[in-house]
């Protein structure tokens, strides 16, 4: 019986990975279809989009999109853990830094969602 359990577990793990790739592909294609990439990314990671996904929780397609977005957050955490500088100081060019950070965020979205 343990072999069935292991087999099922492996199969479900593979299926889960495939679902994540499907979700990433869907989100990437949706972003590419939008007229304003940056605005669509900003909306996708807004409270309004989170509310929409939460309201439709239990609907498989919405759950897959939410899973892909959550996975992006995990991926960001993993890839940015080395970049965190605990001694960062605020300077007068904070607006420039925000623009650079936002631009970097859009690049990370493009990389993760392959768009």
């Amino acid at each position: 019986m343990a072999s069935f359990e292991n087999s099922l577990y492996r199969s479900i793990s593979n299926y889960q990975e495939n679902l994540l790739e499907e979700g990433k592909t869907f989100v990437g294609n949706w972003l590419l279809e939008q007229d304003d990439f940056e605005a669509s990314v900003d909306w996708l990671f807004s409270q309004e989009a989170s509310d929409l996904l939460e309201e439709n929780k239990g609907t498989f397609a919405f759950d897959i999109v939410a899973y892909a977005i959550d996975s992006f957050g995990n991926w960001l955490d993993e890839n940015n853990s080395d970049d965190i500088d605990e001694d960062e100081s605020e300077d007068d060019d904070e607006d420039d830094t925000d623009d650079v950070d936002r631009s970097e965020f859009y690049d990370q979205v493009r990389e993760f969602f392959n768009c």
Side-chain angles (χ1 to χ4, degrees):
M1 291 300 171
S3 65
F4 291 131
E5 182 177 329
N6 292 336
S7 174
L8 182 61
Y9 185 84
R10 277 192 314 275
S11 293
I12 289 173
S13 293
N14 290 336
Y15 187 60
Q16 180 97 359
E17 288 177 27
N18 291 335
L19 289 174
L20 174 57
E21 289 306 313
E22 287 293 322
K24 288 169 57 176
T25 298
F26 175 84
V27 171
N29 287 338
W30 180 83
L31 288 169
L32 288 172
E33 292 171 358
Q34 305 314 302
D35 292 331
D36 186 341
F37 178 82
E38 287 81 9
S40 60
V41 168
D42 292 341
W43 180 84
L44 188 62
F45 292 94
S46 71
Q47 187 60 49
E48 183 179 354
S50 293
D51 291 345
L52 175 68
L53 293 171
E54 184 63 31
E55 288 169 10
N56 290 283
K57 192 173 188 170
T59 303
F60 191 64
F62 281 92
D63 288 344
I64 295 302
V65 169
Y67 175 52
I69 292 169
D70 287 344
S71 295
F72 172 71
N74 295 336
W75 178 83
L76 271 183
D77 291 343
E78 291 171 8
N79 288 304
N80 290 334
S81 62
D82 296 337
D83 298 338
I84 297 172
D85 182 9
E86 294 178 16
D87 297 327
E88 287 182 18
S89 61
E90 293 183 27
D91 56 38
D92 295 330
D93 296 328
E94 189 172 313
D95 290 336
D96 292 339
T97 303
D98 288 345
D99 290 341
V100 170
D101 291 345
R102 206 66 192 150
S103 177
E104 184 178 335
F105 178 72
Y106 297 138
D107 290 343
Q108 291 167 327
V109 168
R110 284 182 179 95
E111 180 180 348
F112 185 80
F113 291 105
N114 199 27
C115 55

